[in-house]
Amino acid sequence: MSAMTALTPVGGVGSTRVRVLVPFDLRHSADLRQGFVTAIREGHDLLVDISGSTVVDQVGFATLVGAHARAARAGRRLRFTGADERTTRLLRRAGLIRLLQDAPAPTGRRRSSLAV
């Protein structure tokens, strides 16, 4: 699958909106990475709909996080929307829940680091 079919443009004003149609995994990581590079070079913020995808393995997770890092280095904002439960959990555990556009707002309560 080519990068152009892996990331399908779905329109948007002031930002590039794309939909990922393949899983984030070893098999598709090169195409996804190239698709993200191309989209980021277009010069807009990027909203990535991953409702038709999921993170399958470590390489896929690294591809997802790497896309965000690449966008930040280019001065672009990259957010994901439509994440499944597993991908949301992975991002939360990695401290990257902020990458999800539709993530729940923080409650303002802090967890104590001391066991009671």
Side-chain angles (χ1 to χ4, degrees):
M1 175 170 288
S2 75
M4 294 311 291
T5 56
L7 291 175
T8 304
V10 292
V13 177
S15 67
T16 300
R17 296 176 56 96
V18 295
R19 182 173 295 127
V20 177
L21 302 172
V22 297
F24 282 85
D25 62 7
L26 176 62
R27 181 174 160 214
H28 297 102
S29 66
D31 289 336
L32 287 168
R33 194 175 314 109
Q34 186 56 45
F36 283 123
V37 166
T38 300
I40 291 165
R41 283 184 184 158
E42 288 181 2
H44 298 287
D45 290 344
L46 194 60
L47 180 61
V48 183
D49 179 353
I50 57 175
S51 59
S53 182
T54 190
V55 172
V56 175
D57 56 25
Q58 290 175 324
V59 174
F61 189 69
T63 302
L64 184 141
V65 173
H68 168 70
R70 181 180 298 275
R73 286 191 304 270
R76 311 284 182 263
R77 184 174 179 198
L78 184 142
R79 294 290 180 266
F80 297 95
T81 187
D84 63 8
E85 267 186 61
R86 182 171 187 274
T87 302
T88 301
R89 276 194 320 269
L90 288 169
L91 288 168
R92 182 173 285 117
R93 286 181 185 157
L96 297 170
I97 195 69
R98 69 184 182 281
L99 299 184
L100 294 179
Q101 171 155 337
D102 45 2
T107 61
R109 294 187 315 188
R110 299 183 117 185
R111 290 173 52 179
S112 172
S113 61
L114 301 174
V116 179

